Every structure is written in C-alpha cells, then in structure tokens.
Amino acid sequence: MTSLSDTAVAGQKPLLVRAAVVIGDIVSRPSGLIGFGLVVLHIFLAIASPFFVPYDYKEVSAQLMLQAPSAEHWFGTDHLGRDIFTRTLLGGREALMVTAIATPIAVTWGGFLGVLFGLLGGRFDDVLMRVVDAFLSLPWILVMLLAVVIFGSSSQVLIPTLGFFYGIPVIRIARAATHDVVARDFVVAARARGQRKMTIIGRELLPNVLDVLMVEGAMRWSWMLLAFSSLSFLGFGVSPPTPDWGLMISDSRGFMSFAPWAALAPVVGLSSLIIGINLTADALAKAMGIDRAQKAPL
Amino acid sequence: MTAPVTTAPVSPAPLIEIEDLSIGFTSRSGATLPILRNIDLTINEGETVGLVGESGSGKSTLALAMMGYLKGGLRVLNGATSFRDRNTFELSTQELEQIRGGELALIPQNAGQSLTPTLRIGAQIGEALKLHSRIEEADCPARVIELLSQVRLPDPEQLVERYPHELSGGQQQRVAIAMALAGEPDALLLDEPTTGLDVTTQAHVLELLRDLAANTGTAMVYVSHDLGAIARVSDRIVVMYAGEIVLEGNSRQVLRTPVHPYARGLLASIPKLADARLPVAMDGRPPSPGGTGAGCAFADRCALAEARCRAEQPLLQKAQGGQTVRCHLQEEVAHLAMPASATAERTSIPDRTPSVLDLDDVAISYARPGLLDQILGRQSNATPTVDNISIAIRKGETIGLIGESGSGKSTILKAIAGLLPTKNGKITFGSNEALHSNVDKRSNDQLRRIQLIFQNPDDSLNPRHTIAEILAQPLRLYFGLTGDDLRARSEELLERVRLGAHYLERLPSQLSGGEKQRVAVARAFAADPELVLCDEVTSALDVSVQAAVLELLKQLQEDQGTTYLFVSHDLAVVRALADRVAVLYQGRLCEIGPAERVYALPSHPYTEVLLGAVLEPDPDTAPVLTAEDVVELSPVANGCSFQRRCPRRLGAICDSTTPPLQSDDKGHAIRCHIPREELLALQSQDHAQGDATSPRLTQPGL
C-alpha cells in the first residue's frame, strides 16, 4: 500500500500523487511495463531525435539508392538514397503531434456531450443518439479525404477533423458510463441528501466517468494514429519530403520484393507505438478497475 | 446364496474423496497465498453434506475443486481430489467432460444467468440429455417432460416452449435442477442454490431437493452461508473457516452442540423467530488469505484463546458425538452453554407517542401514461404498484416492513425520501409538516431529518471517495463544517460506529463488507437524523457481521432516540429489531401491529405463509408450506391483494371486495375477510395438528 496519509481531511489526493499511483500500478504488470515503455520511448524519440539522428533526412543521393542495411546505414537507404534509420526515427513526430492534440479534443467534446445526453435522458437523448448513429455509419476515411481535399492537409485541418470524428464514438461510451453511474446507490444517496445537481455531477458522477474516458481516450489515440498514417499512405497527410511512417510505407511499396527493409522499418515504428498504446490502455483499465475485456466498446 | 433381508447398515462407498488438498494463488508480490488448506473430506454415495462458512471461507472453491475446476489464477498446491477413484486433477479434458454434467452435476447460484436466454426450456434440457444420457433421440421430449414434472413445475408440456426470461427465479432454479438431473448424476454440487430467492420459494426448492435426494439416492454437496437452509437438507455438516475445515459432524450434533467456538458463534449470531432479542455478534473479522499465523486461524476472534492457540496449529481430532473438530480446547467448549443474547427485552413504545412520519393512504405508480394519453391529458389507469398505505411511525420506535421481492417495500422508502412521486395520499412529517413528494422541493432541515441507508455498501459508497470525503458531504451540506471541526466530527462519527480515525484516509475498496456498512451508517447519522430509512441493510452481509450491524443500529437508537423504518425480507431479523411490524404483499398492507402480536396468532394468511416458510438452523423444525410459490405479474385491481395464492380463500368475496382492516385494542390490524376469532381458531387448529413441538410461533395472546 502506498503511503497516503497526511492529506487534508475530506480533500482529494493531489492529482500528481494519484497519477503516480496509477502509473505505478501500470508498470507493475509485465504487459503494462512493455506498453508504457514503448509509449515513453516513442515520445522521447519524437522530441529528441532531431538532435542525434546520423544523417539529414532530406539528403538525396543517386549513388546510395536502395542500399541494403550496412554499418553506415543501419536500416539501409530508400529509393532516393535517403537514410531510412534517420527517417524512421523522425517519422512519428508529425503523427504523434497531431494525434496527441486531437485525442484530448475528441475525448473532451465527446465526453461532454455523452455525459449531457446521459443525464438528460428521455426523448432528447433518443433523438440525439440517432444523430450520433447516423454519423457513426459514415465511412470515415471517405469523409476525411473529402475534408482534406477541400481544406488542405495541414495539421490545422487534420487536428480538428480527427478530433471531431473520433469524438463521436466517445459520446456513446460516455453516455453508457453515465447511465451506469447515475443508477448507482451513491448517486441516489446524494440526491436523497439534497445535494445540489452540480455537486452530484462534479463529485459523484465525473470521477467515475473520467476513468472510463481516460481508457477510452487511450484507445482512440491508437485508432487515430492508424487513421493519420492511412491518410499519409494515401497521399493526403504529410507532404514530402517530411518523413512520415505512412508516407514511407507508401513510397517503398513498389520495391518491397527486393528492398523489404525500406517498408519494414516504418511498419515496425508504427506498430510498436500502436501496440504500446493498446497495452498501456489495457493496464490502465485494470489499474482503474474497469476491464475493457468485459465491456465491449460500442 | 440368499440375499440379506434385513436392512443392515452397509458401509457406504466413498464417491468423492479429498486428501490433504491445498489450493492457492500467487499474489502480485510473488507470495503464494492459500485459499484452501489441507482439506480432508469424503463424500459417500447417497449422502447429503452441507458446506457452510462465511464469504471468503473457501467453500465454493472446495465445491468446484470436487469437479476438477479451478477459478482463474488458482492452482493446486498440495493433495488431490478423486471421484470414484479417478484423480480429478489428472484427468484429460474429455474425461472431465464425461464426469461433469453426467456423473457429477453442478447447480449454480443464479439459474437465471446459467440458462441460455435464446433457447427454449425444452431445448436446453434436451441438450443436456443428448450430452449426458444414452436415451434415444425420439424419447427425448417425453424425458424432458418427465424431468420437469420431477422438479414439480406446473404444466411441463407448455413450459418446454417457454424462454428462461418468462419464468420466475424459483422456476428457473427448478429448470436448472432438471438439467442437472438429466444425466442421472451420482452427485449434485449445489452452490448457494436458493440464495436470492424469496423465502417461500426457497423453502419450496429446498423441500424439492430433500425429496430428490431421498428418492433418487443422489449424493448432494450443498454449499451455503445459510445454516437454516443447510440444516434442512444435510445429513452431515462441514463448517469451514479461513480455508480450513474446523468442524465436521452429523447435522443434529453440529447444530445442537457444536464443539468449535466458531460454529457456536455462528449459530448464536443467527436471529431466531422465537427470540425477540438481538443475536450475539462475533468480534473481529476472518483473516485474509496468507494472513494466518502459526496458530489457530480463529484464535484472534476466539474468547477462549490461550497461548497455545496462537502458537500451535490445532489438528483435526475426534470429539463428542462423532464430531471432528480443529480446536485445542474442544473439551472445554463442549461444556460451555450456548452464548445467549445479553440484550434485554424491549420496552414497548406507548401508543400515545407522537408520530414522526404519517403515511396517509399513499399510492405510488411506476406506470407512465402513454403518448396518446399524454396528448389527451388522461391519467394512467394502471393499477398502482403500491396502494392504500397508511402507517403512523412513532417517535423512537423501529417499524419493520416485511415482504417478498416486488412487495413494494423499497418503493415506499423511496417515496418517503422524495425520490419517487406519490400518485395519491399524503406524507406528513412531525406533527403537521407536509412533505413535498419531490426531494428538490424540500427544505434543508427536512432533508437532514430523514436519512437513508442502502442494502449494498459497495454501491452506496462512491468508490472514488475516501471515507473522510464520504462523511464530509452531509457534514458540509447540513452544518457547514470545515477544517478542524469537520475532522473532529468525522472522527467522532467513526468512533460511534466503532471504527477508528485511521479509517478516514481509506477508500471503500480497502474495507470489509461490514466496515463499509458501518461507514454508511455513520454517514446517515452524520446528519443527526430523526428518521432513518433502512433498506435491507444487513442482507448483503455475513450473519456474524449482520449481528454486529444490528447491535450498532440498536445502540445508536438508544443513544439518540432515532426512529427506524426497517425494510427486510428476513422475518427473523425484523423480529430481532422491530417494535412494530407491517407486512406487505404486492404493495398492499396485509397486517400491521406490535411485533409480538404480528408474530403470534391470529395472522393474516400471507403472514402465516411467510412465517411457515422461514428456515431455522434447527434440525427439528420443518417449514410449513401452504401456498404455491407461483409468481404474480401485476397486483390485482379489485379485492384482496393475496386472493390468487391464499390458502384460506373464502370465495368470490375475496376477488371483488377489498377486505376490511380488523383491529384489536392493542393496535394489531389484519386486512382479511375472515373474522379474527375464526382465523385464530383455524390457525391454532392447524398449528396443533402440525408439529406441536415447533417453537416457531409463540402462543396466541388474546
């Protein structure tokens, strides 16, 4: 048991202390340790890699085209003779930056509406949830392509677009979690006591819904990374010569048969990050006492 | 050679043998923690054995181990179990599948969840037949019907076409029993098969199981926390504590003269119908897995414990009356008198005492008018869930509200708390202060004076709040306390419910069930209330813990003069606490009056049925089953609410006219068409014909 004494009576634990407890719980599980380690490694690389990459990522060389891995070029070179190791290290920066901003946006607005619908209930909730269902039925990749074609593929466009689309499923999750909590006796007890509505929402409801939203946010983050990379792969995301995993996979597709390393390196980069996030989300769910395995999302 | 004619006691062949079995798990810190420790147990052919213990004692783990099943994370540390000389944990999956469901069948606690919701009853049982019996496909339907009749389900021909959700809990449990019988098993494992059922249904299911065991010669292992149920079905009782067998012996011996102090404490903590005093609580709590030291696991809670008990683990040894016991001091225990309640008989609350709360002709309806009715401005004319409830609750008394599930007892509490609108009638607080039916429209002071305690503290305490925060909420809301005052008052409240100030920083998940319920009690008393509404507050707790919580409630009432409205389905618990009792059937009042009168004759026929179905941990009492345990979907519109099940039904008058409330001069009222004198004569006669020795009903007082 962690030492939790000496906090003020009736006060919640400071946020940092609670976060430390949760992270401690995550890394105490083998899968959580691996997942959390991968996520931390990727964030570190995204921030620090420009300072130590061996080559210039846009240095083109006709002599070095599609070279196999060697002592000079650990992961070989691509079809323009650029160092793949350098480009892989740098390739997650844009994706991580965009999704790391878009995820909180998605969770915040989706969570807000979900809790609101869950609390209001009745006809209002019935009608609005059908609107949500209609949005969920749209093929998101087509809609996003449309948005990118109309507004361009800068991060100023991608962040709100991803944030909007990935917030919609969050509405459902937040609404379901709200329904669960509202029916529980501690909320009934607070109502019977005559607590003010805002106190009930803030003190009784939100702490329990936020846990679900955090786990949901982690899951959405990994989906969003995949969506971002798909856009880049299709040529609508990051523009060359900026290094990006999706774009690198797309570029090296044609040489896969004789230069597989060119595609393999960005694939490893992308999948290790997504696996890391998923493992962390699972460990987070266990640490918070909400097991994702028991509650299928959507 | 001639066959022996006399029924000489043939030595029974062992069916399930457990030798030195230990089961445990590896904790996250890497330590191996045992759940079961060195269990030795033999179940013979045709024998019924009751495994009893409180939650966490390992009884379910042991029962599942008998069929070679371990819950996730558990492993066998030592020893073996065998079924018909085959080591269960060494069998292949196929061999296990042969045994399970075929030779050894399990009846789980919640039959509603163990039946497949999308399969018709006939198909489910048919499937079990296909897997576990060798009968021809063509004979299946007939056999299904035979099985359903065997478990005494009405209209089996029609029942096979039904889906599980169309059946009541008791009927579902019977279907589960029929499925288990499909493979004509040699042994049935029953894991709390009647927990969660209504008292009358439970009594019917237990009688069925008893008869099945007697007629088919199937061995039964009956796992339960309820000694009353165990007493009814078992030849032999095994008492478990902290993963060990502490006492084993034939039912009569274990229930009458147990030689283990834990079994004595357990028996004393069970409230009895014939005793209007509080049961004796047991101090302390069971050790957690791995938390037992070198000595006896029960030493910390044992009043007799001496140095030897803490230093040396007692071994199982023979004791008086053929019991086997794990106790160093068994000989001394055997000579002790059974612990008796120290609380005095209650002094009755005078009739003239002013009431704190008056319910006057209250009706509550869940039915919401349909869309068309709303447009036309029509009221819903569905029969209300609760109707015609008039109760005056006097200051300082405890009034018990008894009824089975669906009787509307919790609904009435919610309406008093302002959480449900009333359809009709008035709720008056104090002398003449009308209470608004919506909690939001009540004054802060009115809110403070009425507090609620819920059934399940896991649900009523916010898992994200520390105990300090939980207690601070009413203190801030009603008294505006902050800082040191708040802390001092919180600590005082924890002391009052016998928890220390060190609990303040803990989260509910770090507390045991009983401790959590104490916190819930402390939260209610933080408001300094006049009336506390208790909604089944002890039914989620173990018996020994229940006794302690009842004692606490009683103590708080004596200190503060609080009034309780105590809702429960358990007649014995209500008997131990209540001054006056009201009996509800389908939201209608059947009988109300001083507890000693309600529990005596004459009774409303429904009260009579309920009292008859109560199971007591006494080998000499048998339940009296008079009414069918069928479900009724909605309350009747006209006449007596109990008309469809009443064993003393008169005729058409019961269906058409609401019976009059017949009162006597002591404030005891029965709502029945049969005159009181006639009811008394009828019931005394039946009572005398039944078992005259039965202590379940006190003698009629006139």
Side-chain angles (χ1 to χ4, degrees):
Chain A
M1 201 57 49
T2 41
S3 108
L4 299 170
S5 54
D6 296 330
T7 42
V9 68
Q12 284 285 358
K13 309 260 169 318
L15 202 63
L16 277 177
V17 175
R18 287 189 65 202
V21 170
V22 170
I23 290 173
D25 197 312
I26 290 175
V27 297
S28 72
R29 297 162 204 277
S31 65
L33 182 63
I34 295 170
F36 192 70
L38 282 172
V39 174
V40 169
L41 175 73
H42 272 286
I43 292 174
F44 168 76
L45 286 179
I47 295 167
S49 59
F51 301 107
F52 61 73
V53 286
Y55 295 93
D56 182 358
Y57 68 85
K58 50 183 188 292
E59 194 183 282
V60 178
S61 163
Q63 283 87 43
L64 296 174
M65 256 169 52
L66 293 173
Q67 290 205 340
S70 63
E72 290 87 57
H73 299 282
W74 290 358
F75 292 177
T77 58
D78 69 3
H79 62 296
L80 297 177
R82 297 176 293 195
D83 180 49
I84 292 178
F85 182 59
T86 302
R87 290 179 63 81
T88 303
L89 286 187
L90 295 167
R93 300 189 75 209
E94 188 78 10
L96 262 178
M97 195 269 288
V98 167
T99 54
I101 301 174
T103 304
I105 294 176
V107 173
T108 308
W109 85 266
F112 177 79
L113 280 191
V115 171
L116 189 71
F117 291 179
L119 284 174
L120 290 174
R123 300 261 149 78
F124 180 78
D125 175 54
D126 284 347
V127 172
L128 283 169
M129 284 318 287
R130 297 297 81 74
V131 177
V132 169
D133 289 344
F135 268 103
L136 281 173
S137 69
L138 293 176
W140 60 270
I141 192 98
L142 288 184
V143 182
M144 287 222 288
L145 284 177
L146 197 69
V148 169
V149 168
I150 296 172
F151 300 110
S153 65
S154 67
S155 49
Q156 285 98 314
V157 174
L158 283 173
I159 290 172
T161 314
L162 285 168
F164 174 72
F165 273 97
Y166 281 83
I168 293 169
V170 178
I171 297 180
R172 274 202 162 267
I173 300 288
R175 175 177 167 273
T178 307
H179 274 283
D180 283 353
V181 178
V182 163
R184 293 187 60 184
D185 279 342
F186 59 81
V187 175
V188 179
R191 280 177 54 211
R193 214 158 46 224
Q195 300 277 12
R196 282 171 43 237
K197 292 270 184 296
M198 290 318 288
T199 315
I200 296 179
I201 294 172
R203 283 202 174 276
E204 307 288 342
L205 176 71
L206 285 186
N208 289 286
V209 174
L210 283 180
D211 294 350
V212 180
L213 284 183
M214 274 186 72
V215 175
E216 181 60 16
M219 291 310 301
R220 290 294 139 205
W221 187 16
S222 73
W223 283 104
M224 222 183 257
L225 268 168
L226 208 55
F228 181 87
S229 301
S230 307
L231 281 179
S232 295
F233 181 84
L234 294 171
F236 293 93
V238 179
S239 22
T242 312
D244 178 85
W245 293 328
L247 196 59
M248 288 167 74
I249 298 169
S250 169
D251 285 346
S252 52
R253 207 164 29 132
F255 323 109
M256 206 97 84
S257 54
F258 54 92
W261 57 86
L264 192 63
V267 165
V268 169
L270 179 61
S271 43
S272 65
L273 177 53
I274 289 178
I275 290 170
I277 293 175
N278 274 300
L279 290 178
T280 310
D282 278 351
L284 181 67
K286 287 200 183 100
M288 299 213 165
I290 23 173
D291 215 329
R292 204 164 56 86
Q294 287 166 8
K295 280 187 194 168
L298 293 180
Chain B
M1 218 153 98
T2 53
V5 191
T6 51
T7 53
V10 187
S11 83
L15 190 64
I16 301 170
E17 280 173 293
I18 299 168
E19 269 169 56
D20 200 25
L21 180 71
S22 297
I23 288 176
F25 64 99
T26 307
S27 75
R28 280 177 60 192
S29 58
T32 302
L33 303 178
I35 300 259
L36 290 180
R37 294 182 294 155
N38 311 100
I39 302 286
D40 278 301
L41 182 65
T42 305
I43 314 282
N44 294 323
E45 303 254 14
E47 191 184 26
T48 57
V49 176
L51 277 183
V52 69
E54 295 183 283
S55 46
S57 63
K59 56 190 190 303
S60 291
T61 308
L62 177 56
L64 292 173
M66 289 180 195
M67 55 193 316
Y69 181 82
L70 294 174
K71 283 187 185 152
L74 295 184
R75 61 197 161 83
V76 175
L77 304 176
N78 187 29
T81 72
S82 62
F83 181 78
R84 287 203 186 286
D85 296 328
R86 282 169 291 177
N87 186 333
T88 337
F89 286 110
E90 283 169 7
L91 293 178
S92 69
T93 316
Q94 277 113 344
E95 287 170 308
L96 272 177
E97 278 170 5
Q98 287 279 311
I99 292 180
R100 293 179 186 162
E103 295 165 71
L104 187 57
L106 174 78
I107 298 174
Q109 176 172 352
N110 194 335
Q113 280 174 21
S114 68
L115 300 176
T116 310
T118 51
L119 269 188
R120 292 177 200 273
I121 300 301
Q124 317 226 1
I125 301 177
E127 202 173 41
L129 278 174
K130 220 170 289 169
L131 280 170
H132 298 299
S133 74
R134 258 161 285 160
I135 72 165
E136 298 291 319
E137 184 97 35
D139 299 335
C140 255
R143 176 77 180 128
V144 168
I145 287 171
E146 193 185 318
L147 282 167
L148 289 174
S149 327
Q150 202 182 352
V151 296
R152 296 181 203 152
L153 278 163
D155 298 328
E157 289 84 3
Q158 280 162 35
L159 204 72
V160 291
E161 294 299 319
R162 303 267 199 91
Y163 287 100
H165 73 267
E166 296 176 294
L167 273 54
S168 70
Q171 288 174 324
Q172 287 172 343
Q173 195 56 269
R174 282 162 198 256
V175 171
I177 296 171
M179 276 177 80
L181 293 176
E184 291 174 23
D186 299 322
L188 280 176
L189 300 178
L190 303 109
D191 191 2
E192 303 260 6
T194 60
T195 308
L197 298 178
D198 277 326
V199 272
T200 50
T201 316
Q202 159 165 316
H204 278 276
V205 171
L206 287 177
E207 289 313 291
L208 168 71
L209 289 170
R210 242 176 95 91
D211 294 349
L212 283 175
N215 298 339
T216 60
T218 311
M220 285 195 194
V221 178
Y222 193 101
V223 177
S224 181
H225 69 282
D226 183 351
L227 266 171
I230 293 260
R232 193 65 197 134
V233 289
S234 310
D235 302 334
R236 194 148 62 95
I237 294 180
V238 175
V239 182
M240 296 193 61
Y241 184 79
E244 287 177 328
I245 292 177
V246 293
L247 179 65
E248 187 187 336
N250 80 43
S251 297
R252 181 168 299 270
Q253 293 286 347
V254 169
L255 294 168
R256 287 273 192 247
T257 51
V259 288
H260 194 280
Y262 172 67
R264 293 186 155 239
L266 200 59
L267 275 167
S269 65
I270 301 172
K272 318 258 183 328
L273 265 192
D275 192 352
R277 291 171 305 175
L278 287 178
V280 190
M282 234 188 293
D283 291 333
R285 61 198 263 191
S288 49
T292 46
C296 168
F298 187 62
D300 286 343
R301 297 174 75 186
C302 184
L304 305 170
E306 46 189 51
R308 183 160 62 121
C309 298
R310 295 181 207 283
E312 191 187 327
Q313 158 97 356
L315 298 173
L316 278 174
Q317 49 193 297
K318 291 275 171 236
Q320 68 167 44
Q323 298 181 63
T324 313
V325 64
R326 194 186 283 279
C327 180
H328 289 308
L329 307 166
Q330 48 121 333
E331 274 158 36
E332 291 155 56
V333 176
H335 292 110
L336 287 176
M338 284 295 281
S341 173
T343 52
E345 290 275 350
R346 276 186 302 271
T347 46
S348 60
I349 306 284
D351 290 355
R352 310 260 180 281
T353 314
S355 45
V356 260
L357 193 86
D358 263 312
L359 299 175
D360 186 15
D361 195 22
V362 169
I364 306 154
S365 179
Y366 279 103
R368 294 281 163 271
L371 191 60
L372 186 66
D373 290 337
Q374 276 184 0
I375 293 166
L376 298 174
R378 283 197 303 225
Q379 278 279 315
S380 158
N381 53 3
T383 322
T385 314
V386 168
D387 201 7
N388 198 9
I389 301 289
S390 300
I391 304 173
I393 303 168
R394 294 177 202 139
K395 189 160 177 41
E397 76 172 345
T398 300
I399 182 156
L401 215 51
I402 295 177
E404 295 177 286
S405 55
S407 62
K409 45 196 196 313
S410 298
T411 306
I412 294 175
L413 285 198
K414 285 210 170 115
I416 296 174
L419 299 169
L420 272 179
T422 49
K423 194 182 168 204
N424 192 15
K426 284 208 300 280
I427 302 177
T428 321
F429 198 27
S431 46
N432 53 358
E433 202 179 326
L435 264 188
H436 200 284
S437 70
N438 184 341
V439 70
D440 298 333
K441 305 266 168 63
R442 293 184 181 178
S443 74
N444 211 31
D445 192 50
Q446 287 175 336
L447 291 166
R448 180 188 66 74
R449 285 152 66 196
I450 301 180
Q451 292 293 314
L452 252 168
I453 307 174
F454 294 83
Q455 173 173 5
N456 189 348
D458 284 328
D459 212 39
S460 68
L461 303 179
N462 191 330
R464 302 283 158 217
H465 287 175
T466 57
I467 305 308
E469 173 65 18
I470 287 167
L471 293 179
Q473 287 189 329
L475 293 175
R476 272 195 298 243
L477 179 72
Y478 300 129
F479 305 109
L481 293 184
T482 49
D484 288 344
D485 293 343
L486 179 62
R487 178 155 191 123
R489 180 81 179 118
S490 306
E491 286 178 5
E492 190 193 324
L493 282 165
L494 282 180
E495 292 298 338
R496 304 220 43 193
V497 296
R498 288 167 223 155
L499 298 172
H502 57 284
Y503 280 87
L504 278 177
E505 315 305 338
R506 301 202 187 163
L507 288 168
S509 55
Q510 296 165 323
L511 272 56
S512 73
E515 288 171 335
K516 278 183 250 189
Q517 197 60 300
R518 282 167 192 272
V519 171
V521 170
R523 175 171 68 180
F525 276 86
D528 204 3
E530 284 169 31
L531 174 64
V532 176
L533 311 171
C534 304
D535 192 356
E536 299 266 13
V537 289
T538 61
S539 42
L541 306 173
D542 276 322
V543 270
S544 66
V545 180
Q546 159 174 294
V549 170
L550 290 176
E551 203 177 279
L552 173 68
L553 288 173
K554 188 80 196 159
Q555 187 62 48
L556 286 168
Q557 181 173 48
E558 273 166 20
D559 296 349
Q560 305 202 322
T562 321
T563 309
Y564 290 129
L565 180 53
F566 191 89
V567 157
S568 181
H569 69 282
D570 188 330
L571 281 87
V573 168
V574 172
R575 182 76 182 115
L577 202 66
D579 303 303
R580 281 201 304 147
V581 176
V583 182
L584 284 173
Y585 184 75
Q586 293 212 325
R588 276 79 177 151
L589 212 53
C590 294
E591 182 171 357
I592 184 167
E596 68 277 7
R597 297 230 143 209
V598 172
Y599 282 78
L601 300 175
S603 307
H604 186 281
Y606 176 57
T607 316
E608 195 191 349
V609 168
L610 279 181
L611 285 170
V614 172
L615 295 162
E616 296 207 88
D618 183 332
D620 293 324
T621 57
V624 186
L625 303 173
T626 40
E628 287 297 312
D629 60 332
V630 290
V631 262
E632 295 184 17
L633 295 172
S634 58
V636 291
N638 296 309
C640 173
S641 57
F642 194 51
Q643 55 180 264
R644 290 179 289 203
R645 279 173 69 189
C646 185
R648 301 197 184 277
R649 200 182 129 86
L650 288 176
I653 187 173
C654 298
D655 302 342
S656 56
T657 318
T658 307
L661 201 60
Q662 310 180 49
S663 311
D664 69 358
D665 54 345
K666 296 275 170 40
H668 176 222
I670 298 173
R671 195 177 277 287
C672 186
H673 285 297
I674 307 173
R676 288 181 68 97
E677 298 73 37
E678 208 173 308
L679 260 179
L680 177 59
L682 281 169
Q683 288 168 344
S684 320
Q685 192 187 340
D686 287 359
H687 202 188
Q689 275 174 6
D691 45 346
T693 53
S694 165
R696 59 181 48 242
L697 290 173
T698 42
Q699 282 309 299
L702 277 170

PDB file of all heavy atoms in Angstrom, chain B residues 9 102 180 227 370 494 534 592:
ATOM      1  N   PRO B   9     -26.849 -51.941   8.085  1.00  0.00           N
ATOM      2  CA  PRO B   9     -26.112 -50.782   7.562  1.00  0.00           C
ATOM      3  C   PRO B   9     -24.915 -51.215   6.726  1.00  0.00           C
ATOM      4  O   PRO B   9     -23.936 -51.708   7.247  1.00  0.00           O
ATOM      5  CB  PRO B   9     -25.693 -50.034   8.845  1.00  0.00           C
ATOM      6  CG  PRO B   9     -25.774 -51.033   9.941  1.00  0.00           C
ATOM      7  CD  PRO B   9     -26.802 -52.034   9.542  1.00  0.00           C
ATOM      8  N   GLY B 102     -22.546 -35.264 -16.192  1.00  0.00           N
ATOM      9  CA  GLY B 102     -23.022 -36.632 -16.272  1.00  0.00           C
ATOM     10  C   GLY B 102     -23.101 -37.260 -14.902  1.00  0.00           C
ATOM     11  O   GLY B 102     -24.169 -37.368 -14.315  1.00  0.00           O
ATOM     12  N   ALA B 180     -29.643 -30.567 -14.361  1.00  0.00           N
ATOM     13  CA  ALA B 180     -28.614 -31.301 -13.639  1.00  0.00           C
ATOM     14  C   ALA B 180     -29.006 -32.763 -13.485  1.00  0.00           C
ATOM     15  O   ALA B 180     -28.159 -33.646 -13.509  1.00  0.00           O
ATOM     16  CB  ALA B 180     -28.378 -30.665 -12.273  1.00  0.00           C
ATOM     17  N   LEU B 227     -27.158 -21.322   7.466  1.00  0.00           N
ATOM     18  CA  LEU B 227     -27.274 -22.555   8.255  1.00  0.00           C
ATOM     19  C   LEU B 227     -28.704 -23.081   8.275  1.00  0.00           C
ATOM     20  O   LEU B 227     -28.925 -24.282   8.417  1.00  0.00           O
ATOM     21  CB  LEU B 227     -26.794 -22.298   9.681  1.00  0.00           C
ATOM     22  CG  LEU B 227     -25.335 -22.640   9.943  1.00  0.00           C
ATOM     23  CD1 LEU B 227     -24.906 -22.145  11.305  1.00  0.00           C
ATOM     24  CD2 LEU B 227     -25.115 -24.143   9.856  1.00  0.00           C
ATOM     25  N   GLY B 370     -49.052   6.682 -21.619  1.00  0.00           N
ATOM     26  CA  GLY B 370     -48.519   6.581 -22.973  1.00  0.00           C
ATOM     27  C   GLY B 370     -48.622   7.914 -23.695  1.00  0.00           C
ATOM     28  O   GLY B 370     -49.210   8.878 -23.196  1.00  0.00           O
ATOM     29  N   LEU B 494     -16.886   8.129  13.335  1.00  0.00           N
ATOM     30  CA  LEU B 494     -16.247   6.821  13.141  1.00  0.00           C
ATOM     31  C   LEU B 494     -16.128   6.081  14.462  1.00  0.00           C
ATOM     32  O   LEU B 494     -16.313   4.865  14.522  1.00  0.00           O
ATOM     33  CB  LEU B 494     -14.874   6.991  12.492  1.00  0.00           C
ATOM     34  CG  LEU B 494     -14.876   7.263  10.994  1.00  0.00           C
ATOM     35  CD1 LEU B 494     -13.458   7.406  10.484  1.00  0.00           C
ATOM     36  CD2 LEU B 494     -15.573   6.131  10.241  1.00  0.00           C
ATOM     37  N   CYS B 534     -34.016   2.267   6.554  1.00  0.00           N
ATOM     38  CA  CYS B 534     -33.023   1.207   6.352  1.00  0.00           C
ATOM     39  C   CYS B 534     -33.553   0.233   5.307  1.00  0.00           C
ATOM     40  O   CYS B 534     -34.531  -0.470   5.559  1.00  0.00           O
ATOM     41  CB  CYS B 534     -32.761   0.452   7.644  1.00  0.00           C
ATOM     42  SG  CYS B 534     -32.262   1.506   8.990  1.00  0.00           S
ATOM     43  N   ILE B 592     -50.584  -5.195  10.271  1.00  0.00           N
ATOM     44  CA  ILE B 592     -49.703  -4.261  10.964  1.00  0.00           C
ATOM     45  C   ILE B 592     -50.011  -4.323  12.447  1.00  0.00           C
ATOM     46  O   ILE B 592     -51.161  -4.538  12.838  1.00  0.00           O
ATOM     47  CB  ILE B 592     -49.850  -2.829  10.407  1.00  0.00           C
ATOM     48  CG1 ILE B 592     -48.855  -1.880  11.086  1.00  0.00           C
ATOM     49  CG2 ILE B 592     -51.276  -2.281  10.548  1.00  0.00           C
ATOM     50  CD1 ILE B 592     -48.719  -0.541  10.388  1.00  0.00           C
TER      51      ILE B 592
END
